Amino acid sequence: MDNYIVSARKYRPSTFKSVVGQRALTTTLKNAIATNKLAHAYLFCGPRGVGKTTCARIFAKTINCLSPLADGEACNTCESCVAFNDQRSFNIHELDAASNNSVDDIRSLIDQVRIPPQIGKYKVYIIDEVHMLSSAAFNAFLKTLEEPPHHAIFILATTEKHKILPTILSRCQIYDFSRISISDTVEHLKYVASQEGVNAELEALNVLAQKSDGGMRDALSIFDQVVSFTGGNVTYKAVIDNLNVLDYEYYFKLTDAVLTNNVVDSLLILNDILNKGFDGHNIISGVASHFRDLLVCKDPRTAELFEVGASIRERYVTTSQRCPVELLYRAIELVNECDLNYRVSKNKKLLIELTLIRLCQLSSNPQSVDEKKKS
Ligand SMILES: [Zn+2]
């Protein structure tokens, strides 16, 4: 068996500038290093897979680099950098608080903190999922955080900032990592595909990016999965089949039915989708997003909120021009109502069908009944 490395690891960024979708934040970190304004504790918050641990590692490497480059990046060639890149640096310690959350785990970390680094200037302690520490562990850690030795820097990472004690928050510089936008994810997937010699359709990468919900690690592992499934020919069709994603096509057909007051068509489309094995609740939330996307595409200012590829955007824009705003408002309301009632409904299929019937009636009667009474 050859050495297959998953893409999330193979393409893990090793410099600040190669981190995808966190430009403002990596620039701030780089500037802090360049101007030597380092804090003793940082808190990296944000959803999973957006680069918190990666940035913490790059940060640790960069502040220890013996000959940093003019642009503020680590040189990746000095003794310290090489040790970091080979994962044998003694200046970085990672503790996963999800599985090591006892007070003893923290005590053994605190013991190490006292020992200064042998090469490089700083020892960096990354505590992942820091919100999982027990309260006893938190308290033991707090003392060290209050008076850390000058060579120690703590980077705490969490997906759940609200669970962090205020006493910890007040001692940290806080960095909020955002979800990676769909276009940034697509760009990066395009790059990985070209490096891997994989043929990938843009629309296919778009679906992958949407599915990953702003996390690059997820995006890359779904990418690997699809590459192996398709033998390196990543088409839109293969992706939606493999990931069990509902084709845009159905939503557009449904929109046509709604716009032409065609109840029969809408029910047949629903039946078709259900027969493909899609879950009713997913269909409803898909329809809701679809109408929402049509609404934002009606105005060029909000169309920017619509994150998909150019070809599909065009289709949304032209379709949205056929939809009266009032109809879209009402449609979103109706679908949202269905979404809210879905869980408690005893006859879920009927609930969706009723919603579709009411949607179709909107085109013959775009004004709501209440408004008609008023006039
Ligand atoms: Zn270096």
Side-chain angles (χ1 to χ4, degrees):
M1 200 178 149
D2 58 357
N3 290 339
Y4 174 71
I5 305 171
V6 296
S7 295
R9 245 187 81 196
K10 188 167 174 187
Y11 294 94
R12 186 189 271 276
S14 65
T15 54
F16 282 123
K17 65 169 176 280
S18 54
V19 173
V20 177
Q22 311 289 355
R23 187 53 49 83
L25 193 148
T26 50
T27 306
T28 314
L29 283 175
K30 230 160 57 173
N31 288 344
I33 298 170
T35 54
N36 210 12
K37 285 183 181 135
L38 297 179
H40 272 295
Y42 294 86
L43 181 66
F44 288 1
C45 317
R48 45 175 294 205
V50 296
K52 299 187 296 296
T53 314
T54 298
C55 279
R57 288 179 188 158
I58 296 171
F59 183 81
K61 177 170 73 178
T62 312
I63 58 177
N64 278 303
C65 177
L66 302 174
S67 50
L69 304 178
D71 64 356
E73 299 279 2
C75 72
N76 278 315
T77 51
C78 72
E79 191 187 348
S80 169
C81 283
V82 170
F84 266 98
N85 289 347
D86 292 350
Q87 292 171 15
R88 54 176 173 80
S89 174
F90 291 113
N91 287 354
I92 185 164
H93 296 264
E94 295 187 36
L95 180 80
D96 181 7
S99 43
N100 310 284
N101 58 2
S102 72
V103 70
D104 285 339
D105 292 316
I106 279 295
R107 287 215 176 102
S108 73
L109 182 132
I110 294 169
D111 285 341
Q112 293 174 34
V113 170
R114 297 200 193 99
I115 308 162
Q118 289 183 316
I119 51 164
K121 281 186 276 186
Y122 299 100
K123 276 183 146 184
V124 177
Y125 297 85
I126 301 173
I127 306 181
D128 227 345
E129 301 298 346
V130 67
H131 62 272
M132 303 281 278
L133 285 182
S134 67
S135 56
F138 250 132
N139 287 329
F141 180 54
L142 200 55
K143 292 197 190 77
T144 308
L145 203 57
E146 275 166 349
E147 290 172 6
H150 67 276
H151 61 260
I153 291 184
F154 294 96
I155 301 180
L156 315 179
T158 182
T159 46
E160 304 189 42
K161 187 177 169 184
H162 59 276
K163 288 190 182 162
I164 309 289
L165 295 174
T167 42
I168 301 264
L169 285 178
S170 65
R171 286 176 175 79
C172 295
Q173 255 185 35
I174 299 172
Y175 285 79
D176 288 301
F177 285 65
S178 41
R179 280 180 206 285
I180 301 166
S181 73
I182 291 182
S183 57
D184 281 347
T185 308
V186 169
E187 275 312 305
H188 190 63
L189 291 177
K190 245 162 61 182
Y191 166 76
V192 172
S194 71
Q195 292 295 305
E196 294 291 304
V198 165
N199 181 29
E201 285 178 9
L202 195 56
E203 272 323 314
L205 297 183
N206 245 306
V207 174
L208 292 187
Q210 283 178 31
K211 191 89 176 167
S212 69
D213 198 22
M216 189 55 82
R217 190 170 53 217
D218 282 357
L220 287 169
S221 43
I222 306 173
F223 175 80
D224 287 348
Q225 181 192 330
V226 174
V227 167
S228 83
F229 176 81
T230 58
N233 188 25
V234 181
T235 60
Y236 174 72
K237 175 89 178 58
V239 168
I240 58 170
D241 286 350
N242 185 34
L243 297 183
N244 206 23
V245 173
L246 190 52
D247 195 337
Y248 291 118
E249 211 51 53
Y250 284 103
Y251 296 124
F252 283 113
K253 278 193 214 156
L254 213 48
T255 313
D256 283 339
V258 169
L259 287 174
T260 52
N261 191 4
N262 195 332
V263 173
V264 175
D265 266 7
S266 75
L267 296 182
L268 289 174
I269 295 165
L270 172 68
N271 201 46
D272 200 6
I273 301 173
L274 288 171
N275 281 344
K276 282 183 166 271
F278 285 96
D279 165 69
H281 207 178
N282 285 345
I283 299 172
I284 277 303
S285 60
V287 173
S289 319
H290 175 76
F291 281 120
R292 176 263 184 201
D293 290 341
L294 285 173
L295 184 67
V296 300
C297 283
K298 271 195 90 69
D299 189 309
R301 286 171 300 175
T302 48
E304 283 178 21
L305 301 175
F306 184 56
E307 287 198 314
V308 292
S311 60
I312 195 80
R313 177 194 295 264
E314 200 43 49
R315 187 136 181 228
Y316 268 93
V317 170
T318 39
T319 307
S320 75
Q321 279 155 6
R322 289 163 49 216
C323 306
V325 168
E326 199 58 33
L327 179 139
L328 289 175
Y329 286 156
R330 287 287 296 141
I332 293 170
E333 258 171 41
L334 285 173
V335 178
N336 192 40
E337 211 173 283
C338 174
D339 192 9
L340 293 174
N341 294 331
Y342 192 83
R343 221 171 285 272
V344 291
S345 164
K346 288 214 169 63
N347 192 340
K348 297 180 195 303
K349 188 177 178 196
L350 180 66
L351 177 69
I352 303 180
E353 286 173 341
L354 268 174
T355 306
L356 292 180
I357 294 168
R358 292 170 75 193
L359 283 172
C360 289
Q361 286 170 343
L362 290 177
S363 54
S364 60
N365 177 21
Q367 275 184 316
S368 70
V369 179
D370 306 330
E371 278 169 333
K372 280 216 161 154
K373 271 186 209 149
K374 269 185 253 159
S375 56

